[in-house]
Amino acid sequence: MRAVDIIRAKRDGEALSREAIESFVCGVTDGSWDDYQASALLMAIVLKGMNAVETGWLTEAMARSGERVNLDHISGIKVGKHSTGGVGDKVSIVLAPLAAACGIVVPKMSGRGLGHTGGTLDKLESIPGFRVALSLQEFTSILEEVGCCLISQTDNITPADKKLYALRDVTATIESLPLIAASVMSKKLAEGSTALVLDVKCGRGAFMQRPADARSLARAMVTIGTAAGLRTEAFITRMDAPLGRAVGNSVEIAECIQVLSGTGPSDLTDLIVKLASRMVLLGGKATADADAEAMVRQAITSGAARDRLRHMIRCQGGDATVVDDPGTLPRAGHTHHVTAAKSGYLQSLDALLVGRTAVALGAGRDKKGDSVDLSAGILVHKKPGDAVSAGEPILELHYNDEGRLGAAVQLATQAAVIGDKAPADTPLIMGWVHDRGEQMFVALP
Ligand code: URA
């Protein structure tokens, strides 16, 4: 099939055949489609959409574009996890060793930060020596030994997503339900898990800003996973303000260690405990919610989850002493406080602007291939709902490059809105979509 005919069909709003979708994915993978043709089809998909059947075919074709990891020789249910990306979202780094300490095997392929969102791999690389580019052989043997392993996407697994994601990032074609669903689910189908917990972020700092869109994305991914025999559920979680109190790389690793030591911020800890409990239930290690939660909390208080993190860091070549002495993580040379202009209550702390502030400080990339300053980042002193007095610090910026501070301060200053009354409490978990139905905990317009 000719690329131009497939592009024209989607441009004119037609549903694509399975053959057309396969021809596109094969063409992107083997290079017979040029980037400009692939970009044109991506933009047509953003504008005209794809129905559920097309989205399923796209996912399957992308999952088949490379090798699929076979973990059958490792006993037990393998439970994967994926987030659609946010600001201060360090959940996977805590969740993997925590679920592993409860007897779950957690294979996890993660991404780098792009745009205003942070990336698990960049955060992990702030641990001296930590390697994320492992061979499949190393990945599976660490999974057998430790129960969890966090790696980067390899050239052999879902190469179609690797190419398409890079193109989408530079052609304004990220924010599309079928493209996000196929990107996430193709990786998860290839990763070797038998069950999956998804965290669909919703709000200012997320790709899905409206709850109804986040719910549609969650439904689409649960449908695709379930149809492929992967027991899948999705939580829709609020991403209007940063998660936890650290945004960056080494500062987020330090916060992960706090959570595993029982001293982490409550929003982050509660979300991690909820997701880990679902992983324990899906992995068959408990049958009741309360038992699963007790098991997860016990893995934190006993230190078992911290031990798993140490073990995983050692096996991936990193310096595990950071777990006991986070002071040895890279630390920025300078700090600057962004303070409250008046007294009142913090109404909102815009996750998008805080994420952009972190990038401006050097913690993220403006474009693919940029290097990242592993010690640049932000500590959040005030969360939405907190009372503030004029002059009190709201954000603490960590930086090395003086030339970056001005732009960062400007963004950070706009991020915090102070009002006279405390804002209404809003639940962090907005909804739950699974193969037996769904519950929304917020009203949808
Ligand atoms: N995460 C992914 O892996 N892919 C997307 O398209 C968006 C978030």
Side-chain angles (χ1 to χ4, degrees):
M1 292 183 86
R2 293 191 326 151
V4 66
D5 296 328
I6 299 172
I7 298 165
R8 184 182 300 110
K10 186 45 80 184
R11 181 201 67 190
D12 294 344
E14 290 173 31
L16 298 181
S17 65
R18 184 174 205 153
E19 193 194 356
I21 289 172
E22 277 178 8
S23 159
F24 161 58
V25 173
C26 289
V28 167
T29 310
D30 67 20
S32 58
W33 273 52
D34 285 307
D35 281 359
Y36 56 82
Q37 293 172 310
S39 306
L41 183 58
L42 289 170
M43 187 56 84
I45 293 171
V46 170
L47 298 175
K48 301 292 172 157
M50 272 185 151
N51 63 36
V53 175
E54 290 174 284
T55 308
W57 287 334
L58 179 62
T59 310
E60 270 176 39
M62 287 169 64
R64 271 191 279 103
S65 66
E67 279 179 54
R68 291 175 83 144
V69 184
N70 187 334
L71 299 177
D72 289 351
H73 61 288
I74 303 178
S75 60
I77 299 178
K78 277 66 78 179
V79 188
K81 180 262 170 186
H82 200 84
S83 154
T84 55
V87 177
D89 182 1
K90 68 253 334 148
V91 169
S92 296
I93 298 166
V94 182
L95 203 53
L98 179 53
C102 298
I104 305 295
V105 178
V106 189
K108 176 89 183 84
M109 223 183 301
S110 292
R112 297 207 174 269
L114 222 46
H116 70 280
T117 66
T120 298
L121 301 178
D122 297 323
K123 297 170 198 183
L124 285 167
E125 282 179 347
S126 71
I127 300 170
F130 196 97
R131 288 167 54 231
V132 295
L134 303 185
S135 67
L136 275 186
Q137 168 63 40
E138 287 175 298
F139 180 52
T140 52
S141 68
I142 293 172
L143 274 177
E144 271 179 281
E145 184 176 336
V146 188
C148 58
C149 185
L150 295 161
I151 58 164
S152 60
Q153 205 176 348
T154 73
D155 282 337
N156 320 346
I157 301 171
T158 56
D161 181 60
K162 200 170 178 186
K163 290 197 178 178
L164 288 174
Y165 198 87
L167 271 185
R168 287 168 60 209
D169 185 49
V170 293
T171 56
T173 51
I174 297 274
E175 294 88 348
S176 150
L177 186 154
L179 294 179
I180 296 176
S183 163
V184 170
M185 294 308 292
S186 61
K187 288 191 284 261
K188 298 297 117 179
L189 296 184
E191 194 178 69
S193 299
T194 35
L196 174 63
V197 175
L198 294 166
D199 184 358
V200 177
K201 297 288 183 203
C202 175
R204 280 285 297 162
F207 294 130
M208 293 290 151
Q209 302 223 339
R210 296 181 312 175
D213 294 336
R215 182 177 64 178
S216 301
L217 177 60
R219 283 177 177 168
M221 293 196 290
V222 169
T223 303
I224 292 168
T226 307
L230 182 64
R231 179 134 188 234
T232 306
E233 20 190 272
F235 287 89
I236 299 163
T237 69
R238 194 175 297 281
M239 183 33 73
D240 286 315
L243 189 58
R245 289 186 178 271
V247 179
N249 298 300
S250 61
V251 289
E252 291 202 36
I253 294 291
E255 190 169 64
C256 290
I257 295 163
Q258 283 172 10
V259 174
L260 288 177
S261 310
T263 57
S266 59
D267 60 339
L268 177 64
T269 304
D270 290 351
L271 178 59
I272 287 170
V273 167
K274 181 72 192 171
L275 296 179
S277 303
R278 285 312 303 169
M279 291 172 78
V280 165
L281 287 161
L282 290 180
K285 296 292 174 192
T287 49
D289 287 355
D291 295 343
E293 186 176 327
M295 197 183 256
V296 168
R297 290 200 184 273
Q298 172 65 14
I300 296 177
T301 46
S302 68
R306 260 170 80 111
D307 288 346
R308 275 312 149 126
L309 178 63
R310 264 192 220 97
H311 196 169
M312 183 184 82
I313 293 174
R314 259 197 314 272
C315 285
Q316 296 197 228
D319 176 3
T321 61
V322 299
V323 176
D324 301 295
D325 186 5
T328 59
L329 285 163
R331 206 189 278 221
H334 313 283
T335 57
H336 175 91
H337 286 119
V338 175
T339 54
K342 60 177 185 174
S343 299
Y345 290 89
L346 192 62
Q347 303 295 302
S348 57
L349 186 61
D350 187 320
L352 177 62
L353 291 174
V354 175
R356 286 192 184 149
T357 305
V359 175
L361 291 169
R365 295 176 182 77
D366 288 317
K367 55 185 190 316
K368 222 174 161 60
D370 282 356
S371 65
V372 156
D373 182 340
L374 296 171
S375 62
I378 302 166
L379 295 185
V380 174
H381 284 258
K382 296 286 177 186
K383 302 272 280 179
D386 286 351
V388 287
S389 305
E392 253 193 306
I394 296 179
L395 296 173
E396 181 179 312
L397 312 187
H398 290 216
Y399 65 101
N400 292 303
D401 181 349
E402 295 274 3
R404 289 179 167 274
L405 186 63
V409 170
Q410 248 186 0
L411 287 161
T413 308
Q414 290 165 39
V417 175
I418 297 169
D420 294 338
K421 290 200 201 109
D425 250 357
T426 44
L428 184 62
I429 298 183
M430 303 166 76
W432 180 38
V433 178
H434 45 84
D435 53 4
R436 298 149 326 276
E438 63 188 39
Q439 283 150 272
M440 288 301 292
F441 310 120
V442 295
L444 284 187

